Amino acid sequence: MIDRKILQEYREYSFRSYFELPYETDEILAEFDYSLIKAELSLPHTSRELGEIDSLKQRIRATLPFLSLSSETARRESLVSPVLLDIVRYCQCQLRFEYTLNVNSWLKGNLDYLVQSNQDLLVIAATNDDMTRGFTQLAVELIAMSHVADKNIFYGAVTMGDVWRFGKLDPTQQTIFQDVNLFRVPDDLEDLIKVMVGILDGAVI
């Protein structure tokens, strides 16, 4: 990696700014003294029976042919929100939209979604067309969250609605781990939901 300074000391950056910067994820994370590791992650996975997943999968399959998914709003409302509302029902957890977080001039903005249970939390970033830059934004949001919450591991996901990718932050190692695997909706919906419920239930890996 080329050693170069990206962020300007006296400039302010929102979370969205990191999506728009034309630099690699690892270069941006280095500005916060974090490293990036891409790997096949072992994610929490609930063993609970979640009886409504098949119904949600059928609804999504039935409506997808009639949806225009050309905008981020369309993807959020038709694909992301239905999944998260089911997560809330399974976990009895808080779902916050456009959650404002202001740590400092480099770490501030709105999280698209923040899901919080008594055991854990999950940061979710929605993007329309670029999962790589979307993950960069998510990673910086996880760094910001690590400044305001006391946890050993922070989990997050970036999604285009029909595709999801997970990541996690280890504050002790100052490392962001990016899962090389993708979850596709509706095909991988059961695994996707069981991972998110596993995270929020505090399931042991």
Side-chain angles (χ1 to χ4, degrees):
M1 183 178 69
I2 299 172
D3 186 15
R4 57 178 169 178
K5 192 70 177 170
I6 293 173
L7 303 183
Q8 300 173 28
E9 185 175 354
Y10 299 106
R11 183 181 162 187
E12 295 192 355
Y13 296 87
S14 69
F15 297 137
R16 180 67 187 182
S17 301
Y18 297 100
F19 181 92
E20 296 167 350
L21 288 174
Y23 301 101
E24 298 294 329
T25 304
D26 59 342
E27 293 181 303
I28 292 173
L29 296 185
E31 296 284 287
F32 299 96
D33 296 321
Y34 268 78
S35 58
L36 175 70
I37 294 178
K38 299 178 182 180
E40 188 168 342
L41 298 186
S42 178
L43 296 165
H45 197 278
T46 187
S47 58
R48 284 204 276 150
E49 288 296 324
L50 306 176
E52 299 298 318
I53 294 179
D54 284 343
S55 175
L56 177 61
K57 185 183 289 189
Q58 289 170 10
R59 290 199 306 273
I60 291 174
R61 283 194 190 281
T63 55
L64 269 177
F66 306 101
L67 299 178
S68 172
L69 300 176
S70 57
S71 72
E72 186 176 311
T73 300
R75 291 172 178 271
R76 285 195 197 192
E77 293 185 2
S78 59
L79 292 174
V80 181
S81 291
V83 170
L84 294 183
L85 290 174
D86 267 24
I87 297 296
V88 168
R89 194 157 49 83
Y90 292 132
C91 298
Q92 297 293 291
C93 50
Q94 292 258 349
L95 172 59
R96 303 188 186 277
F97 300 84
E98 299 294 330
Y99 183 76
T100 300
L101 193 57
N102 191 345
V103 175
N104 55 44
S105 60
W106 285 7
L107 294 170
K108 64 179 188 175
N110 294 330
L111 309 180
D112 291 332
Y113 304 95
L114 176 63
V115 194
Q116 291 178 286
S117 68
N118 292 331
Q119 289 77 32
D120 219 319
L121 60 84
L122 180 62
V123 175
I124 297 171
T127 183
N128 184 36
D129 59 0
D130 194 323
M131 290 286 284
T132 299
R133 290 188 175 187
F135 190 88
T136 302
Q137 178 177 332
L138 171 69
V140 175
E141 291 173 356
L142 290 174
I143 292 172
M145 185 58 69
S146 73
H147 283 263
V148 299
D150 184 17
K151 301 192 65 59
N152 294 326
I153 295 290
F154 293 83
Y155 286 99
V158 59
T159 180
M160 294 196 305
D162 53 351
V163 180
W164 294 66
R165 166 170 276 139
F166 284 91
K168 69 177 184 179
L169 176 149
D170 185 327
T172 304
Q173 298 183 43
Q174 287 192 271
T175 301
I176 301 282
F177 296 88
Q178 177 181 316
D179 195 1
V180 296
N181 294 319
L182 296 172
F183 293 79
R184 301 188 182 277
V185 174
D187 290 349
D188 303 322
L189 185 62
E190 181 171 358
D191 283 337
L192 172 67
I193 289 179
K194 288 198 168 187
V195 165
M196 287 195 279
V197 172
I199 291 170
L200 294 163
D201 279 353
V204 177
I205 302 173

